[in-house]
Amino acid sequence: MRENVNFQSLSAEVLDEVRSALAMVDDERAEAVIEKLISAHKVFVIGVGRVMIMLQAFVKRLNHLGIEAYYVGEINEPAITQDDVLIVASGSGESVVPVAIGRVATKYHPTIIYIGSNLASTAAGMSNLQLRIPCRTKLNLPDELNSVQPMSSLFEQALLLTLDTLAFMIVEKKKLVLKDLWLKHANLE
């Protein structure tokens, strides 16, 4: 048991874990991901649980950046085509729904990007490009970063920050003016 259990000590552990995870994300693969996102006609995302929540935040941000994006199952989801990108996010790469959606998508030949920890997974195997965040998953593989946090919290945190960093890279690449992005922000608040 820990002796000093308080917010500051535990948040320091969380930040250290996230920093370690992000340090292991490959720069060249991240660059390849943003190139695919910028050139896509539309971007779709699929994940489940807390992973889907992180992806929904990314969809919103991509739309702010002028990239048409949807999460699979959204009421206004259009058809996917060969000109589009599907991001399949799953720490293990074996989550049933993302794998099933990825399989269906292959019939339409979009670029499929897997973001997760397990490059030997079903989801990684059906993708065109993989971006690894090597955090502990339900599979408990030997090359995954260990975490003191519950379940797959570290993966979900690192996923959100990876996606936000990709968005920041897009801002830089497209030379977007930050104050102009507010013009695309929801205004019925």
Side-chain angles (χ1 to χ4, degrees):
M1 258 346 243
R2 300 171 198 282
E3 288 185 26
N4 274 336
V5 178
N6 60 46
F7 180 83
Q8 292 303 323
S9 66
L10 293 181
S11 67
E13 287 189 61
V14 169
L15 290 173
D16 286 344
E17 287 186 0
V18 171
R19 193 173 289 110
S20 293
L22 294 180
M24 297 180 80
V25 174
D26 184 270
D27 276 323
E28 289 179 18
R29 286 180 181 258
E31 184 69 33
V33 169
I34 67 160
E35 291 298 331
K36 295 292 185 187
L37 296 175
I38 288 171
S39 66
H41 183 66
K42 297 181 297 294
V43 175
F44 297 81
V45 302
I46 185 63
V48 292
R50 287 168 44 110
V51 168
M52 177 51 96
I53 294 167
M54 306 310 156
L55 290 168
Q56 288 172 332
F58 188 53
V59 163
K60 186 163 185 90
R61 185 63 75 226
L62 287 177
N63 280 293
H64 291 153
L65 302 180
I67 296 172
E68 189 177 345
Y70 304 89
Y71 61 92
V72 174
E74 188 174 4
I75 194 71
N76 64 336
E77 173 192 350
I80 196 167
T81 72
Q82 65 189 19
D83 300 321
D84 301 327
V85 166
L86 172 66
I87 295 175
V88 176
S90 166
S92 69
E94 300 298 343
S95 299
V96 174
V97 172
V99 168
I101 294 296
R103 281 191 178 120
V104 171
T106 60
K107 295 190 300 192
Y108 304 102
H109 310 289
T111 297
I112 299 176
I113 299 171
Y114 168 66
I115 302 178
S117 183
N118 184 5
L119 295 182
S121 68
T122 304
M126 70 176 70
S127 66
N128 307 97
L129 177 60
Q130 305 83 32
L131 186 62
R132 184 166 194 245
I133 307 171
C135 300
R136 176 76 55 223
T137 68
K138 61 189 174 191
L139 301 177
N140 204 25
L141 299 172
D143 65 342
E144 297 173 337
L145 287 175
N146 203 9
S147 176
V148 297
Q149 299 180 68
M151 304 169 77
S152 57
S153 291
L154 177 58
F155 176 72
E156 294 138 7
Q157 295 155 353
L159 175 62
L160 178 63
L161 291 176
T162 296
L163 297 172
D164 274 350
T165 303
L166 293 174
F168 191 16
M169 291 171 73
I170 291 168
V171 166
E172 294 294 310
K173 189 94 165 165
K174 291 176 77 175
K175 298 182 182 349
L176 299 175
V177 177
L178 291 179
K179 81 175 173 80
D180 292 346
L181 299 180
W182 287 100
L183 298 173
K184 294 190 181 209
H185 190 278
N187 59 5
L188 294 177
E189 301 179 310

